[in-house]
Amino acid sequence: CIDNSNTLGTFPVSAVVVFIDGKPAKDQYRIYNIKKVEGPNDYATMEEVIERRYSQIDSNTLPDLLLIDGGKGQLTAVVAVLTKINKLNLIPLAGLAERLEEIYVPRGTQPILLNKDNPALRLLIQLRDEAHRFGVKHHTKRRDTYMIVSLEEVVGVGRKTIKKLYSTFKSTHAMYEAGKEKIVLYFDFQSYKKLK
């Protein structure tokens, strides 16, 4: 299963997770840092990762099923790139749209709707959720690493201050949500306590 993760198009990654006999094969998981796509473009991101992963791969090691996190649009993008690299007829393909857990297949005009208790659907959901978890984890790590480097470039902000920021706000997302005023207030209050 392949899932994309980004924050408004920044620090985009694509996560690829592999299940064998219904179980995660974590040694085969891969993260792709997206290189060519600018901005939040899920279709172009999917095209890039599919081409990078499957253009050179041996036909004997192709998956029994390639599951895409997304609906008809993402599936159409994947079909186009698999056609371009001459692999479309070699890889069974499906997309899983999250809202209603609809399954899309190439050449299908209507989505497939299975009962939520269906074991096949439960497996597809588990696979998709694992790709999402893995992708978000690496996207967050990439974003936070960038933010630490960026914070170090601010005059007067050193490693100690960065550590204090992270111990207080826990993540760059929380710092962003708190806003400049709350961060400044926090540090002014800490300075005030030290002076007393």
Side-chain angles (χ1 to χ4, degrees), residues 4 11 23 34 46 48 50 68 97 102 118-120 131 152 157 172 174 180 185 195:
N4 302 324
F11 315 106
K23 302 261 190 275
I34 300 305
M46 199 63 79
E48 180 180 329
I50 293 290
I68 303 302
E102 302 162 308
N118 184 297
E152 286 177 338
V157 176
T172 53
K180 179 181 169 184
L185 279 173
L195 289 172

Side-chain angles (χ1 to χ4, degrees), residues 151 158-169 187:
L151 286 169
R159 279 274 170 185
K160 280 186 176 180
T161 303
I162 292 169
K163 282 183 181 178
K164 284 181 188 175
L165 281 168
Y166 273 93
S167 69
T168 302
F169 295 98
F187 278 97

